[in-house]
Amino acid sequence: MQYDKDTQLSLNLWGQSALTSHLQVDKLSVPDAEIILYPSYFTEEESDGILQRLFMEVNWRQDKIKCYGKEIDLPRLTAWYGDTDKSYTYSNIVMNPIPWTPVLLFIKDRVEEIAQVSFNSVLLNFYRDGKDSISWHSDDEQELGKYPVISSVSFGGERKLQFRHKSNKNLKKLELNLTNGSLLIMKGKTQEYWQHQIAKTSRTVMPRINLTFRIIK
Ligand SMILES: O=C(O)CCC(=O)C(=O)O
Ligand SMILES: [Mn+2]
């Protein structure tokens, strides 16, 4: 699998606005997927401030899932915000969104600038330490439509996002470092052909908050 590091030049060929053309971008050359990573989309200063506010202001909840008939805590805290007429079912949990807050609207505006779509909801995950995780899955719920555009923003401790192809076992796993202030865009066939996860780690990692902006149809 190749991993292309594109620069501002190729981005301009893709029609990037002058406002964002200074950004470093890694456009991955992966079969059956469109994955674009901006490692420093938000500055460190912005990211640290946003992390504090999200930590304090978000209405974090501890959801449970059924596993072999037993109820267990999801290994992370979550929250669901967005346009209030859109509910969403996730791991058999029905999420009713809380209305947007100023800090979430600030992040949403910045992300939409580059994703060139309008998001109507965001799922937030809070990984308290290395024991928190999200296991292999695709963001392929029916409500998201066939080729969803998902913008994933990370603040706080760096974690690895892994990708594996669902059927082509010749393709190696792909691993991306999601740094403080990074923006990852997944679109096209990515969710149809690939799964992703944040595995647990025994390394000492700082708390991390991830937001995945989505469009619920
Ligand atoms: O925390 C991450 O980077 C991934 C989160 C994710 O995959 C999800 O919420 O669906
Ligand atoms: Mn996901």
Side-chain angles (χ1 to χ4, degrees), residues 179-195:
T179 45
N180 186 28
S182 65
L183 164 65
L184 174 82
I185 300 180
M186 299 182 277
K187 55 185 184 176
K189 298 182 200 161
T190 311
Q191 307 303 327
E192 190 180 339
Y193 285 92
W194 292 80
Q195 291 184 317

Side-chain angles (χ1 to χ4, degrees), residues 76 90 123 125 127 134 137 139 152 154 161 178 186 196 198 208 210 212 214:
R76 60 192 181 277
Y90 174 79
L123 173 65
N125 290 303
Y127 303 83
I134 187 164
H137 70 283
D139 298 329
S152 167
S154 297
L161 180 71
L178 298 185
M186 299 182 277
H196 52 276
I198 302 272
R208 164 178 187 265
N210 172 265
T212 45
R214 299 151 187 251

